[in-house]
Amino acid sequence: MNDDKYRTIDEKSKMITDKLGKTIDKGIRELVVLLNYHKIGTTQSCWGHKNWGLPYPWVDISKEHLGDLYSIISDLDIETEDISDTVRILPKTKDLSEGRKAFNKLKKRLKSYE
């Protein structure tokens, strides 16, 4: 992994905000950085919530990158769902804790993937 490239993407990710001015959720930011490092463009993400919103983590990617992602997630407990012009990657289990574990496995895989 190219440390300079990773650091550049990581620093840029700290400045990204949504329409409400909120930054990328701390728990999922590393995954977003790793996906973008591997040229899998992300558009939205969330680490999941216990009391509101979706109770599991998810990341939306550009549809053009779906083929690149399949070889990486094929044996993980992660699935995809079409969302308009993007694709959402989400854990097969819709439990917050288990979903985060699945995404942490994806982070580990992306760290070693070349």
Side-chain angles (χ1 to χ4, degrees), residues 49-107:
H49 303 278
K50 291 180 183 177
N51 300 318
W52 62 278
L54 296 175
Y56 50 85
W58 54 267
V59 177
D60 289 355
I61 65 166
S62 302
K63 275 190 177 177
E64 66 191 81
H65 301 296
L66 186 58
D68 300 329
L69 187 63
Y70 270 132
S71 62
I72 298 169
I73 67 169
S74 63
D75 63 337
L76 298 176
D77 289 327
I78 295 173
E79 61 188 8
T80 62
E81 177 182 298
D82 280 349
I83 306 286
S84 183
D85 59 341
T86 61
V87 174
R88 180 162 290 172
I89 57 173
L90 57 147
K92 289 181 180 176
T93 177
K94 302 305 182 263
D95 173 80
L96 184 62
S97 178
E98 291 301 312
R100 288 178 174 175
K101 285 179 189 176
F103 271 33
N104 284 330
K105 287 179 185 178
L106 176 55
K107 283 194 289 191

